[in-house]
Amino acid sequence: MTEATIIENKNRNAAEDASIAVAENARELDWKSKSFMASMFMGELDTSMCFPFPEQNEQDKAIGDDICAKVDAWAGNGGIDGEAIDREQIIPAPVFKGLNDLGLFGIKIPKEYGGLGLSQTNYMRILSTLARHCGSVSATLSAHQSIGVPQPLKLFGTAEQKTKFLPRFANGEISAFALTEPSVGSDPANMVTEATKNDDGTWTLNGEKLWCTNGVIADVIVVMAKTGENVRGGRTTNRISAFIVETKSAGVDILHRCEFMGIRAIENGVVRFTNVQVPGENIIWGEGKGLRLALTTLNDGRLGIPAIAADSGNAAADFCAQWGKSRHQWGKNIGGHEAGAAKLAFISGTAFAMDCMASFGAALSDRGDTDIRMEAAAAKLYNSEKSWELADKALQFRAGRGFETATSLEARGENAFPIERGLRDARINRIVEGTTDVMHLFLAREALDKHLSLAANLFSKKATMGQKLGTVVKAGLFYATWYPKLWLGGLFKSHAGFKGEWRSSVKWIDARCRKLARTLFHQMALNGPKLEMKQLTLARIVDIGTELAVMALVASRAQGMANAGNTAELGRARFFLADAKLRVDHLFAGISKNTDKQARKLALELMEQVEALPESKRMSDLLEPLPREFGSDLTSGRQTERLAHGGTSPTTSSKTEVA
C-alpha cells in the first residue's frame, strides 16, 4: 500500500499539523481505477466514463419497481403519517414493525445472511420512496445501513462477524455509528473516547459520543475510539479503531435524545460508555484502521443523501409546475411571469441535474470496480447544497402557502404539499456525513493528489538532495508534456457520440476542464504549501470541477434521450447547462476577484472585540440515563407503543450483560 503523503508546511501550528497527519493516514491511499472526476481536475474530460449514461438495467429496475411499489403502498395507506411524525417528533412502534416486515433493515445485506441483497441503486430508490412520506423514517433507515454496522461489516468484517451480526440486522436489529464527541467533529485528532486492551484480549471502553443517529434505540453500535498512538515521521497521532458494541452491555447509557430543526423524529442522542467490556473479536478490520474504515464506508453511504435530495427535488418540480399553472396573479398564471418562470426553470433543471449525479454514483457503486471516492463526495456536496437552494426557491414560489404547514393547508381545504417540512428536513444534508466545508477540503485534497505525489520530496526536510533532484527531474518531465496539452488538447478531441447542441456543450465543458487544471496548477505555483490555507480558493476550484462533472453527466443523459427519441425532458437539461455555464464562469472570476482577505481581517477584528463563550458544562454532570428502548423490540412487535406514548420496553426490566 502507498504511504501517506504529508506535505510539510511551516504555516501550520502543532494542532493543525496533528490534524493533517490523522486525516492523511485515514485517506484511501491507492486508486483502484481511473476516476472520472480526478481526471477532470487534471484537465481531461474522458466522456467514455459517462457516455452512454449508465442507466439502471431492466432486470434490476423491475426488482426496484416492485419493492418501491410495495413500500409506497404501505406508507401511503396509513403506514407512515409524515406530518404526525414531524409534529410529535417520534416514529411510532408500528412503523418500525412495518419496515421490518418489508425487510428494509437488510436492503443491501446479502441473501445468504437473510437480507434482500438489493443493489445500491435500488437501496437509494427505496430511501427516496420513504423520504417522500417522511424524512425522519428514511434517515433512520439510512443511518442503520449507510454508516451503521451492516455496511462496514459487509466491506471489512470477518466471516465470523458477518455470520454473527448480519442475520440479526436483516431481522430488524437497529445499528448506529458513533464518531462525533462534544469537542470532536470532522477533526478526530483530539478524540477522547478510549479503549484500553485487557490482559485477556478484551477491551475496556470509556467515553461519550454526541449526535449518534439511531443511538437512542440501537441494538448495536460501531464506536470509534483511540487505542494508543502512532509515531510516524516524528509525529504522534491517535490510533483509532472501530468496535462493534452491543448496547445491552453493562455501562452503556443513553443520556439525552437531541431535538432538531428538521428530521425531528430521528433517534439521535448522547451515548456514554463507562467501563464497557468489548470482546477482542469485535474490532472491525483491525486495530488502528477505524478512520480509514469510516471514510471507505462513506463512499457508498454518502450516496443516500444525493438520491433522496434528487427525488425530493423532482417531486417539488412536479408540484411547482402544477402550482405555476393553477395560481393566477395580474391576469396570468404565476409560472408565466418572468420571475415565476425563472424559479420554476431553476427548480426543474436543477432537480434533473441532481438526479443525473445521484444515478451516476449509484451505477458506479453497483459496478464495484470503480473508485468512487470523489464522485460520492461530489454528489453529496452538490445535491445537498442544491436541495437547500431548490427548497428555498420552491417555498418562495409557493409564497405564503409554502410557509404554511401541510396539515394547516389540508385543514382549510387547500392542496397540501409539505414544502415547509421539506425545507427543514433538507437543511441537515449540508452538515451530516461530511459538512460542505469538509467536502470541499476532501475533494481538494483528492484533486491535488497527483501533484502532491510528484512534488512531495521538494517540501520535505528529510528528503536528501538526491531525492529532491530526482523529484525535480521526474516532475519536469511530466509537466513538460502535461502543461502544453492544457492549452492545445481541445484540437484533438472529437467527442464521439455527441451531436449538435450536446456536442457543443461537451466541447465547452472540455475547454473549461483544461482551464480548471491550469488554474489549480497556477494556484499551486503561486502559493506553494500555503495553498491549503486558502480554503475559499480551493472551494471555488472544487465547485468548478463539480459543476463541470454534473454538466457532463447531464449532456450525456440528454444525448442518450435524444438518441432514443425521448424529448420530454430535454428542455430541463438545456436550461441547466445554460445556467451552469454562467455559474462556472462566475466561479473562475472569483478566484482572482474576491473579498477573502477582507473577510479574514474583519473576522479577526470581530473576535478580538468579544470574549470567548464559557466552557460547556460536562454532560455527565447534567444528565441522568434515560429509560431504554431497543430497536429489536420495536421492529419485532414486542413493543407496540413507544415510551413517549406510554409504552414499556419488554427488555428494559431484564437487561443483560453481554460479554
Side-chain angles (χ1 to χ4, degrees):
M1 179 178 284
T2 308
E3 286 294 318
T5 301
I6 303 175
I7 300 297
E8 295 183 19
N9 188 343
K10 64 182 180 181
N11 299 291
R12 297 189 202 121
N13 59 38
E16 289 174 319
D17 205 47
S19 296
I20 290 293
V22 170
E24 280 296 320
N25 288 321
R27 283 183 64 241
E28 294 177 78
L29 302 179
D30 299 304
W31 295 83
K32 67 180 180 181
S33 70
K34 183 178 182 179
S35 166
F36 176 61
M37 285 199 66
S39 299
M40 295 181 76
F41 282 99
M42 292 299 293
E44 179 190 8
L45 175 61
D46 187 351
T47 54
S48 69
M49 298 186 72
C50 70
F51 183 78
F53 190 86
E55 303 287 359
Q56 187 179 17
N57 71 63
E58 288 303 315
Q59 183 179 3
D60 196 51
K61 184 176 183 300
I63 294 171
D65 289 345
D66 181 61
I67 185 68
C68 287
K70 291 177 181 176
V71 170
D72 193 46
W74 164 73
N77 292 325
I80 296 177
D81 184 341
E83 286 293 300
I85 289 173
D86 179 73
R87 184 171 56 251
E88 297 180 18
Q89 302 186 49
I90 196 161
I91 300 172
V95 174
F96 286 99
K97 178 68 163 57
L99 294 171
N100 194 34
D101 289 344
L102 289 164
L104 301 188
F105 288 99
I107 297 174
K108 293 196 294 178
I109 293 175
K111 292 182 180 179
E112 63 188 282
Y113 298 107
L116 298 180
L118 299 185
S119 65
Q120 177 73 22
T121 299
N122 282 333
Y123 165 72
M124 291 162 59
R125 290 180 63 191
I126 291 169
L127 291 183
S128 300
T129 300
L130 286 167
R132 287 203 179 197
H133 296 276
C134 179
S136 293
V137 172
S138 186
T140 298
L141 202 62
S142 173
H144 163 70
Q145 293 177 93
S146 64
I147 56 176
V149 185
Q151 186 66 9
L153 273 193
K154 185 178 168 185
L155 294 175
F156 303 112
T158 64
E160 292 77 14
Q161 288 172 338
K162 292 177 182 178
T163 300
K164 179 179 179 180
F165 289 104
L166 290 182
R168 291 167 53 181
F169 298 128
N171 196 40
E173 291 200 19
I174 294 178
S175 70
F177 174 79
L179 170 64
T180 304
E181 299 179 2
S183 300
V184 178
S186 300
D187 173 13
N190 298 312
M191 185 176 290
V192 175
T193 299
E194 184 172 14
T196 305
K197 197 167 189 177
N198 304 316
D199 292 339
D200 62 358
T202 63
W203 295 81
T204 299
L205 178 68
N206 285 281
E208 291 178 353
K209 294 294 185 178
L210 175 63
W211 295 328
C212 182
T213 302
N214 289 357
V216 177
I217 60 170
D219 298 281
V220 187
I221 304 180
V222 176
V223 181
M224 296 292 171
K226 62 180 182 179
T227 54
E229 295 178 330
N230 290 319
V231 179
R232 292 176 182 169
R235 295 182 178 88
T236 300
T237 58
N238 286 333
R239 183 189 304 125
I240 298 172
S241 304
F243 292 88
I244 304 171
V245 178
E246 306 247 20
T247 63
K248 292 178 184 175
S249 300
V252 179
D253 291 306
I254 308 302
L255 297 185
H256 182 66
R257 183 178 184 267
C258 301
E259 297 180 10
F260 298 106
M261 165 186 167
I263 52 172
R264 299 171 67 186
I266 59 172
E267 301 288 342
N268 179 297
V270 177
V271 187
R272 181 176 65 192
F273 305 96
T274 307
N275 294 326
V276 177
Q277 299 304 298
V278 184
E281 62 267 22
N282 279 24
I283 289 184
I284 308 178
W285 200 15
E287 190 177 342
K289 295 183 178 180
L291 287 181
R292 190 170 295 174
L293 174 146
L295 289 177
T296 306
T297 300
L298 278 171
N299 286 338
D300 291 311
R302 284 193 176 114
L303 292 173
I305 287 175
I308 293 169
D311 187 78
S312 299
N314 277 319
D318 290 342
F319 179 81
C320 286
Q322 292 180 296
W323 175 244
K325 184 177 181 178
S326 305
R327 175 69 169 170
H328 288 75
Q329 291 284 297
W330 299 300
K332 66 169 66 172
N333 58 46
I334 61 170
H337 288 288
E338 195 169 74
K343 292 182 182 67
L344 188 54
F346 175 85
I347 293 166
S348 184
T350 301
F352 180 86
M354 291 163 64
D355 187 68
C356 290
M357 194 63 164
S359 297
F360 183 68
L364 293 186
S365 176
D366 282 332
R367 279 177 50 179
D369 60 354
T370 305
D371 198 305
I372 65 168
R373 71 183 84 166
M374 292 189 73
E375 289 74 14
K380 191 274 173 186
L381 166 68
Y382 191 84
N383 282 20
S384 60
E385 287 294 311
K386 291 303 179 183
S387 69
W388 174 250
E389 191 175 354
L390 187 154
D392 181 64
K393 286 190 182 295
L395 192 151
Q396 188 69 25
F397 188 59
R398 183 84 156 127
R401 291 170 176 83
F403 196 65
E404 189 174 358
T405 69
T407 299
S408 177
L409 288 165
E410 187 175 25
R412 61 184 186 80
E414 290 264 7
N415 292 303
F417 188 82
I419 291 179
E420 167 272 335
R421 173 159 58 93
L423 182 135
R424 287 189 288 105
D425 286 352
R427 185 59 183 84
I428 190 61
N429 293 338
R430 301 174 64 202
I431 299 171
V432 294
E433 297 185 15
T435 67
T436 290
D437 294 325
V438 169
M439 288 296 93
H440 277 138
L441 296 177
F442 174 86
L443 284 163
R445 173 59 186 88
E446 298 300 342
L448 287 164
D449 192 52
K450 177 66 176 179
H451 297 294
L452 295 181
S453 64
L454 281 169
N457 281 335
L458 294 179
F459 304 101
S460 174
K461 296 177 181 178
K462 297 178 182 178
T464 65
M465 183 57 66
Q467 289 173 320
K468 290 179 182 290
L469 290 173
T471 297
V472 170
V473 172
K474 181 180 177 181
L477 291 172
F478 173 80
Y479 290 117
T481 56
W482 174 77
Y483 189 73
K485 288 180 180 178
L486 299 182
W487 295 96
L488 304 173
L491 299 175
F492 310 104
K493 290 286 189 72
S494 64
H495 304 295
F498 289 92
K499 305 171 186 176
E501 61 182 310
W502 312 118
R503 184 174 184 272
S504 177
S505 290
V506 171
K507 288 181 66 176
W508 189 94
I509 297 164
D510 182 48
R512 292 307 187 278
C513 281
R514 286 180 277 112
K515 182 178 180 180
L516 171 65
R518 294 196 304 267
T519 301
L520 181 57
F521 180 72
H522 295 161
Q523 290 297 318
M524 287 176 56
L526 180 65
N527 294 285
K530 290 190 294 184
L531 180 59
E532 76 174 55
M533 307 295 182
K534 296 179 72 65
Q535 295 176 351
L536 298 181
T537 295
L538 290 172
R540 293 184 187 99
I541 289 171
V542 165
D543 284 341
I544 291 169
T546 302
E547 287 279 7
L548 292 174
V550 178
M551 291 176 73
L553 297 177
V554 167
S556 174
R557 181 173 257 181
Q559 183 65 73
M561 289 177 170
N563 292 345
N566 177 12
T567 61
E569 295 189 290
L570 294 185
R572 300 173 72 187
R574 193 174 290 118
F575 173 82
F576 171 79
L577 290 170
D579 198 41
K581 287 177 182 179
L582 299 177
R583 286 196 299 274
V584 168
D585 285 342
H586 179 73
L587 286 165
F588 271 122
I591 291 174
S592 58
K593 295 181 180 180
N594 56 64
T595 57
D596 298 353
K597 288 184 179 179
Q598 293 94 320
R600 179 170 174 78
K601 180 181 178 182
L602 176 58
L604 293 174
E605 290 174 357
L606 293 171
M607 289 187 289
E608 280 292 321
Q609 296 168 13
V610 298
E611 296 293 327
L613 292 172
E615 187 174 344
S616 299
K617 298 178 181 178
R618 281 168 47 92
M619 291 186 294
S620 292
D621 295 338
L622 297 173
L623 304 169
E624 293 293 330
L626 299 176
R628 296 297 304 276
E629 286 183 293
F630 295 97
S632 53
D633 292 331
L634 298 168
T635 61
S636 65
R638 289 191 297 269
Q639 182 177 332
T640 58
E641 292 289 338
R642 298 297 305 272
L643 298 186
H645 295 159
T648 58
S649 173
T651 55
T652 301
S653 59
S654 58
K655 183 176 178 182
T656 58
E657 292 189 20
V658 179

